[in-house]
């Protein structure tokens, strides 16, 4: 079976770390194939304490696309991913967790080959925006570059980057010591 990844599950080291935190074995994701999910957009409707910000979800949106990757996986790997995405069902088979499994049709970037795949999306769609953290977006950008998802997608992801916190900002051209000494003292008059 094929799995379409579009969020943090594109970043292999993050998947390994999340599995370790939950004492789960790491899913054996096959070789990623860059792909796109058409008529959907990426959104950030829910807060995640692990990332201290919003996490990616998908929403139907005619004419929009989400770059990602398809992986060939086993049903055991899908079960592990379901645990990472907090998918749960009640005794009647109703989705009660945070996310549910959905079938999608992605296209590989090489040759536009259609692939029937599964992915996760929020059970109860919310239409609010929760800004993602810098760390989360940096990992999405690294994955997009590694997979060759295109410079336009990377540029879009950079627009989601929160501003630097004040302690990380530096002046563009701070005055030199000599320039500082030559400035007039405006307080002495």
């Amino acid at each position: 079976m094929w799995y379409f990844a579009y969020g943090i599950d594109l970043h292999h080291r993050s998947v390994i770390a999340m599995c370790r935190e939950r004492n789960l074995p790491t899913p054996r994701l096959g070789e990623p194939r860059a792909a796109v999910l058409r008529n959907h957009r990426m959104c950030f409707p829910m807060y995640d304490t692990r990332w201290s910000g919003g996490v990616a979800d998908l929403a139907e949106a005619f004419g929009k696309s989400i770059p990602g990757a398809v992986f060939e996986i086993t049903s055991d790997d899908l079960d592990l991913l379901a645990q990472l995405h907090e998918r749960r069902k009640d005794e009647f088979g109703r989705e009660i967790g945070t996310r549910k499994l959905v079938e999608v049709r992605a296209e590989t970037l090489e040759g536009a080959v259609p692939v029937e795949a599964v992915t996760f999306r929020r059970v109860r769609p919310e239409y609010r925006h929760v800004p993602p953290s810098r760390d989360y977006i940096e990992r999405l950008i690294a994955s997009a570059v590694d997979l060759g998802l295109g410079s336009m997608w990377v540029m879009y992801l950079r627009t989601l980057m929160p501003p630097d916190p004040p302690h990380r900002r530096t002046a563009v051209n701070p005055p030199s010591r000599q320039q500082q000494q030559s400035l007039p003292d405006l307080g002495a008059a």
Side-chain angles (χ1 to χ4, degrees):
M1 107 180 41
W2 291 94
Y3 176 69
F4 178 74
Y6 61 91
I8 201 63
D9 44 5
L10 284 173
H11 195 262
H12 188 66
R13 289 188 306 260
S14 295
V15 172
I16 291 170
M18 290 186 297
C19 287
R20 285 184 183 150
E21 289 169 6
R22 296 175 185 178
N23 295 319
L24 296 172
T26 304
R28 296 174 311 278
L29 301 176
E31 189 65 31
R33 296 175 63 189
V36 64
L37 181 60
R38 302 222 184 267
N39 296 317
H40 287 81
R41 67 178 176 81
M42 184 182 287
C43 56
F44 297 85
M46 58 190 160
Y47 182 85
D48 188 291
T49 55
R50 184 193 195 288
W51 297 107
S52 301
V55 291
D57 194 18
L58 54 88
E60 292 181 12
F62 183 76
K64 304 276 184 179
S65 298
I66 301 175
V70 288
F71 296 87
E72 195 161 8
I73 62 171
T74 66
S75 59
D76 289 340
D77 297 326
L78 183 61
D79 290 343
L80 291 170
L81 288 167
Q83 290 179 56
L84 289 180
H85 285 282
E86 299 176 4
R87 179 186 187 217
R88 293 187 313 276
K89 291 184 174 187
D90 66 11
E91 64 271 11
F92 304 108
R94 292 180 298 216
E95 301 279 356
I96 60 169
T98 305
R99 295 185 181 247
K100 64 182 176 180
L101 190 67
V102 295
E103 295 179 0
V104 295
R105 181 181 207 145
E107 295 175 10
T108 61
L109 293 185
E110 52 189 50
V113 177
V115 176
E116 299 298 325
V118 294
T119 195
F120 293 97
R121 72 175 299 172
R122 188 161 168 82
V123 170
R124 290 171 202 82
E126 293 183 23
Y127 301 102
R128 64 185 177 139
H129 176 73
V130 179
S133 68
R134 173 172 287 279
D135 185 32
Y136 189 87
I137 293 298
E138 286 173 348
R139 290 171 192 238
L140 292 185
I141 290 170
S143 299
V145 170
D146 289 346
L147 290 165
L149 297 181
S151 59
M152 292 299 287
W153 184 247
V154 171
M155 286 175 25
Y156 167 72
L157 292 172
R158 285 190 176 135
T159 68
L160 301 173
M161 186 79 74
D164 280 340
H167 69 277
R168 287 185 62 176
R169 292 185 188 148
T170 58
V172 176
N173 290 315
S176 68
R177 176 170 273 167
Q178 182 181 11
Q179 289 172 327
Q180 289 175 356
Q181 291 171 348
S182 67
L183 292 173
D185 184 5
L186 299 177

